[in-house]
Amino acid sequence: MRQGKMIRRRHKAMRSAVVAAAVLVPAVGVAFSATFDSSPTPPVSAASAAVKVVDPGERVMLGRGKTMWLSGQGMFLVTPNASGSTKERLMEVAEVPGGKISATAVGDDAGTVWAGIYRGPEKPTRVAFSIGDRTMSARIVTLPGRPGWVAFHADDTHARTNDITITVQGADGAMLASLAKSGKG
């Protein structure tokens, strides 16, 4: 009986040693490589820093009382009505073809809020709106991980009266997608 107890103790000690080694060896290896690695760490580009990662359901303020949030389904856009209630719209990512853009505008004489989705294999680092002779950058919002799409939004203080072109660019500056939308009238 005593011998069985001793064997169980040895097995328990062996399992503990294996678990400790499994945890410590990778940690020591990472610390060792971080200490003695002579290659410099690449700097984070300003463009990639401009992409905001949000949790599903996390509210993002767009301007003039408008908000958006993301889920696995897509982008939810919430706009206030004159009555004080709100209107919620869903732009479904499944309805945006790969390598394409879908966008919407909500506005009045005080300005326009643009929001949309780009779906594609490469993460964009810039979304630009060209309106007449003006160009403005949108803010890019995405879910954690690599969902295969991003949302974007921009608050334009001008009323929507002109045609607009939305351009999505990759890290190397190459155009990933473009969308032309006509203005009012």
Side-chain angles (χ1 to χ4, degrees):
M1 186 109 124
R2 204 157 166 64
Q3 198 172 28
K5 197 174 194 179
M6 188 180 290
I7 291 173
R8 283 192 297 275
R9 281 187 191 161
R10 283 185 190 158
H11 283 212
K12 185 176 180 182
M14 182 62 101
R15 282 192 307 266
S16 297
V18 169
V19 169
V23 170
L24 289 177
V25 169
V28 170
V30 168
F32 183 79
S33 72
T35 304
F36 294 102
D37 188 6
S38 61
S39 62
T41 303
V44 175
S45 71
S48 65
V51 176
K52 181 178 181 178
V53 178
V54 296
D55 290 324
E58 181 179 336
R59 302 290 195 253
V60 177
M61 299 304 297
L62 305 184
R64 286 188 283 287
K66 296 161 183 67
T67 59
M68 70 185 277
W69 74 88
L70 309 181
S71 77
Q73 287 181 287
M75 176 189 71
F76 290 82
L77 179 63
V78 180
T79 57
N81 291 332
S83 65
S85 63
T86 58
K87 180 178 180 181
E88 184 176 307
R89 298 175 228 187
L90 169 62
M91 184 176 287
E92 292 188 52
V93 73
E95 293 179 4
V96 181
K100 300 290 183 186
I101 301 168
S102 182
T104 189
V106 180
D108 53 29
D109 291 339
T112 305
V113 171
W114 289 91
I117 290 176
Y118 163 73
R119 183 176 177 197
E122 187 176 337
K123 272 191 173 179
T125 56
R126 183 168 192 256
V127 176
F129 290 83
S130 299
I131 307 165
D133 61 349
R134 298 181 301 121
T135 299
M136 65 180 182
S137 292
R139 290 180 190 91
I140 301 172
V141 183
T142 189
L143 293 170
R146 295 191 59 83
W149 62 279
V150 299
F152 56 85
H153 64 92
D155 186 4
D156 186 8
T157 57
H158 297 82
R160 182 179 172 207
T161 56
N162 298 323
D163 295 345
I164 185 166
T165 301
I166 305 167
T167 306
V168 177
Q169 295 175 321
D172 60 357
M175 183 175 65
L176 303 176
S178 183
L179 174 68
K181 292 188 77 99
S182 62
K184 289 181 186 174

